[in-house]
Amino acid sequence: AQSVSEFSDLPSIEQQLVSSVDRVVTEITPEAPTVIVESDITRRDVVFLLDGSDTTRNGFPAMIDFVQRVVENLNVDENKDRVAVVQYSNDPAANFYLNTYSRKDEVINRIQGLTHKGGRPLNTGAALQFVKNNVFTAPAGSRRTEGVPQ
């Protein structure tokens, strides 16, 4: 996980994030003990969980710019990288799911059109649960059961 204390610091972790997405370590958990396999991944399901609470309103353009620049480095295609965006404050809401768009230009256009959700208080736990139960699922486009890194 990456974090910064100021929105203006987002560019400083961009390359770290892109590099870590490029070198995904996947866990294979058959009936035997866990085996860690590092490989050249050609397919990834990437979800951006954005703090959309009232306290981030001024920094929201920097978040959007950051997400856009990361997506520009992905190979977005139905059978390659898929992207979803979820915003949260007191309650989470998907801006789009992993199977909503299959082309990079569609994803970038949607990211550029995102509006700040707003709201308070911040409920990160509910947001993480929402992503697990509603975004990293087959109906939402997740390919976890196919072994695609999430």
Side-chain angles (χ1 to χ4, degrees), residues 20-83:
S20 65
V21 168
D22 282 341
R23 292 185 321 113
V24 174
V25 177
T26 60
E27 286 187 29
I28 300 173
T29 54
E31 299 301 317
T34 301
V35 177
I36 305 296
V37 177
E38 192 166 331
S39 62
D40 293 327
I41 303 299
T42 58
R43 302 184 318 159
R44 296 169 286 215
D45 292 341
V46 179
V47 178
F48 292 94
L49 181 60
L50 305 179
D51 178 349
S53 66
D54 290 344
T55 58
T56 63
R57 186 170 307 280
N58 291 337
F60 194 70
M63 281 193 273
I64 295 306
D65 182 58
F66 175 77
V67 171
Q68 179 180 333
R69 286 184 288 139
V70 171
V71 169
E72 286 170 350
N73 286 288
L74 298 175
N75 192 5
V76 178
D77 184 86
E78 178 141 353
N79 294 312
K80 295 190 179 170
D81 298 334
R82 292 183 183 177
V83 177

Side-chain angles (χ1 to χ4, degrees), residues 49 86 88 91-93 97 123-137:
L49 181 60
V86 174
Y88 73 102
D91 62 328
Y97 294 92
N123 191 343
T124 306
L128 291 169
Q129 193 68 44
F130 177 86
V131 169
K132 178 184 175 210
N133 294 340
N134 298 284
V135 182
F136 283 131
T137 63

Side-chain angles (χ1 to χ4, degrees), residues 1-2 17 19 21 39 51 70 92 103 109-111 114 120 126:
Q2 303 286 336
L17 180 62
S19 294
V21 168
S39 62
D51 178 349
V70 171
R103 293 191 343 250
N109 284 339
R110 182 64 178 101
I111 290 168
L114 290 177
R120 57 172 73 181

